[in-house]
């Protein structure tokens, strides 16, 4: 087990609540958000922050489950972590956590496990803001319009500029927090949060910015919100896997002028017929690229409904296709095309054709050619058939 330097900061993660309003079939901290419990997600955030002692306060009978979550989240920081049993109230549970602190601890954070998605940056910010005399409370501005009511009647508007929503973790100098807890115990007063208890003992509390992700999971709708946020985060972090598309094109001989194929002009060769220059290799590549990116096909972008492309050569089609992909967040990986036909004789100009196509697309392009041994329309010399495969990568 890795022995880490003894820190001077601790965080008490309160996970002893019953979760009655959540109705999850278990104490709230042990209800699953996804494959992991609320507590485990809270601890993942804690252990992603700067190293500190971690004390988890669990409900009686659930110490073992809390220990499992704690060890799984702690990794090589397991020496900094322990589980204690909570009390009947939140205040008693925090007090149980305080009694488990090491002697070297001088700054204490108190964190609700129910605020499971609190970012590590907020935890670190609280630690940095605590001084010898002042408590720290992360807060969010109130954005809803608030009214003061009396029964069913609205009495007055409330100035929301004077209000803010409290979050956790809340941070305190240890000595003052312990004395504030002792004073609350002697007075027999229960407070809703530690900042209120600390302030009641006469100590100042300052606020720092909280996080929208630091909301408290209390109801089923809160749980669904957490699941949605985690799913969205996982999708955003998923690797950008390459995508592959296939394209085919067929053109008959019979056009006017010279043959255009694979981005090259072939003087003396019978041309292909088509809306543009009939370059079946370029057209198949366009279809493969658009298909890989899920952006339609060549007819949608360059068909007869777009007269501006009538008679256009491969360079125009391919350059515009590259632009369309870039506009939609894709880069071209590579392209491979093969045409079937008896003519033209391709091998003497293969290197030239590949260089031209590669330059236009900004990605490697390979082109091969074959015959069909006299079979089919290509074997009879009636035209050319092309198949292309393209790989694109989300960027």
């Amino acid at each position: 087990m890795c022995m880490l330097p003894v820190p001077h900061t601790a965080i008490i993660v309160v996970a002893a609540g019953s979760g009655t309003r959540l109705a999850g079939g278990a104490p709230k901290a042990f209800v699953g958000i996804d494959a992991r419990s609320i507590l485990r997600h809270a601890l993942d955030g804690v252990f992603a922050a700067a190293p500190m002692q971690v004390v988890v306060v669990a409900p009686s009978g659930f110490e073992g489950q809390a220990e499992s979550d704690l060890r799984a989240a702690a990794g090589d920081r397991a020496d900094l972590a322990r589980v204690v049993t909570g009390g009947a109230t939140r205040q008693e549970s925090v007090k149980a956590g305080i009694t488990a602190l090491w002697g070297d601890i001088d700054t204490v954070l108190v964190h609700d496990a129910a605020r499971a998605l609190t970012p590590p940056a907020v935890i670190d910010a609280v630690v940095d803001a605590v001084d010898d005399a002042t408590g720290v409370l992360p807060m969010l501005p109130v954005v809803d319009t608030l009214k003061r009511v009396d029964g069913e009647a609205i009495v007055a508007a409330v100035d929301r500029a004077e209000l803010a929503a409290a979050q956790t973790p809340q941070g305190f100098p240890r000595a003052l927090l312990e004395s504030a807890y002792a004073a609350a115990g002697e007075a027999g007063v229960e407070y809703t949060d530690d900042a209120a208890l600390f302030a009641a003992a006469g100590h100042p509390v300052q606020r720092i910015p909280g996080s929208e992700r630091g909301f408290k999971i209390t109801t089923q709708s809160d749980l669904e919100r957490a699941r949605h946020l985690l799913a969205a985060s996982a999708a955003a972090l998923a690797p950008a896997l390459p995508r592959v598309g296939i394209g085919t094109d067929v053109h008959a001989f019979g056009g006017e002028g010279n043959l255009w194929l694979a981005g090259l002009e072939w003087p003396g060769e019978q041309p292909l017929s088509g809306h543009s220059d009939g370059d079946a290799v370029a057209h198949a590549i366009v279809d493969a690229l658009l298909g890989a990116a899920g952006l339609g096909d060549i007819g949608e972008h360059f068909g007869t409904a777009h007269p501006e492309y009538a008679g256009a050569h491969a360079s125009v089609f391919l350059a515009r296709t590259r632009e369309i992909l870039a506009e939609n967040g894709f880069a071209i990986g590579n392209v491979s095309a093969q045409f079937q036909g008896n003519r033209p004789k391709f091998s003497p100009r293969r290197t030239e054709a590949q260089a031209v196509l590669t330059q236009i697309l900004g990605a490697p392009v390979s082109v091969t050619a074959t015959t069909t041994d006299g079979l089919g329309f290509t074997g009879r010399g009636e035209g050319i058939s092309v198949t292309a495969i393209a790989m694109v990568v989300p960027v």
Side-chain angles (χ1 to χ4, degrees):
M1 187 175 291
C2 177
M3 299 298 294
L4 297 172
V6 176
H8 295 281
T9 301
I11 184 167
I12 299 169
V13 181
V14 185
S18 63
T20 303
R21 284 176 289 176
L22 185 61
K28 183 196 296 185
F30 303 96
V31 174
I33 298 179
D34 44 24
R36 297 180 176 183
S37 68
I38 290 174
L39 174 60
R40 173 62 191 279
H41 280 288
L43 291 172
D44 285 342
V46 166
F47 284 103
M52 62 188 81
Q53 183 191 6
V54 180
V55 179
V56 175
V57 185
S60 178
F62 288 84
E63 296 89 347
Q65 288 180 243
E67 187 76 30
S68 296
D69 280 341
L70 182 59
R71 298 299 164 183
D76 61 3
R77 296 193 197 175
D79 286 345
L80 303 180
R82 65 171 298 184
V83 174
V84 299
T85 305
T89 67
R90 184 185 187 282
Q91 202 159 297
E92 290 179 6
S93 293
V94 175
K95 188 173 181 180
I98 292 174
T99 61
L101 299 178
W102 296 332
D104 299 82
I105 298 300
D106 51 35
T107 298
V108 181
L109 275 60
V110 183
H111 187 34
D112 289 338
R115 299 186 185 273
L117 305 188
T118 299
V122 172
I123 299 173
D124 288 334
V126 172
V127 174
D128 292 341
V130 175
D131 61 28
D132 292 338
T134 307
V136 175
L137 177 61
M139 306 187 79
L140 286 180
V142 174
V143 296
D144 293 324
T145 298
L146 301 177
K147 302 289 185 181
R148 184 174 290 107
V149 298
D150 181 6
E152 300 300 320
I154 297 175
V155 176
V158 177
D159 184 2
R160 63 188 177 195
E162 299 178 355
L163 302 175
Q167 297 185 323
T168 68
Q170 300 172 6
F172 311 93
R174 176 181 181 173
L176 296 185
L177 181 65
E178 287 179 332
S179 65
Y181 260 87
E186 292 175 3
V189 180
E190 289 284 334
Y191 292 91
T192 58
D193 71 350
D194 301 279
L197 179 148
F198 191 79
H203 307 304
V205 179
Q206 66 168 331
R207 71 175 184 176
I208 64 170
S211 168
E212 294 287 350
R213 293 179 69 92
F215 67 95
K216 188 174 184 179
I217 299 174
T218 302
T219 65
Q220 282 293 322
S221 62
D222 297 327
L223 190 61
E224 287 305 312
R225 179 184 176 190
R227 287 170 176 160
H228 174 77
L229 288 170
L230 287 171
S233 297
L237 293 173
L241 297 176
R243 298 173 60 170
V244 177
I246 188 169
T248 61
D249 197 37
V250 174
H251 282 280
F253 290 113
E256 298 179 356
N258 291 321
L259 172 68
W260 283 86
L261 192 68
L264 301 179
E265 186 177 17
W266 300 74
E269 291 286 350
Q270 185 178 7
L272 295 166
S273 62
H275 170 57
S276 55
D277 63 357
D279 189 335
V281 171
H283 298 175
I285 290 174
V286 168
D287 255 347
L289 289 168
L290 293 172
L295 296 173
D297 56 30
I298 191 170
E300 179 179 342
H301 295 277
F302 305 101
T304 55
H306 298 275
E308 66 272 21
Y309 294 111
H313 292 303
S315 59
V316 175
F317 282 78
L318 295 171
R320 178 55 187 151
T321 299
R322 181 182 178 183
E323 290 176 354
I324 293 171
L325 265 63
E327 290 164 3
N328 287 274
F330 291 95
I332 301 171
N334 72 295
V335 178
S336 176
Q338 182 188 72
F339 80 81
Q340 298 176 350
N342 294 341
R343 62 181 193 274
K345 187 172 179 59
F346 186 71
S347 57
R349 303 189 71 184
R350 183 195 314 277
T351 301
E352 181 185 3
Q354 291 180 158
V356 168
L357 296 172
T358 295
Q359 182 179 16
I360 297 170
L361 291 178
V365 179
S366 63
V367 185
T368 60
T370 188
T371 66
T372 58
D373 293 330
L375 300 175
F377 75 92
T378 57
R380 295 190 296 270
E382 298 171 3
I384 288 177
S385 175
V386 183
T387 300
I389 297 176
M391 182 182 73
V392 302
V393 181
V395 294

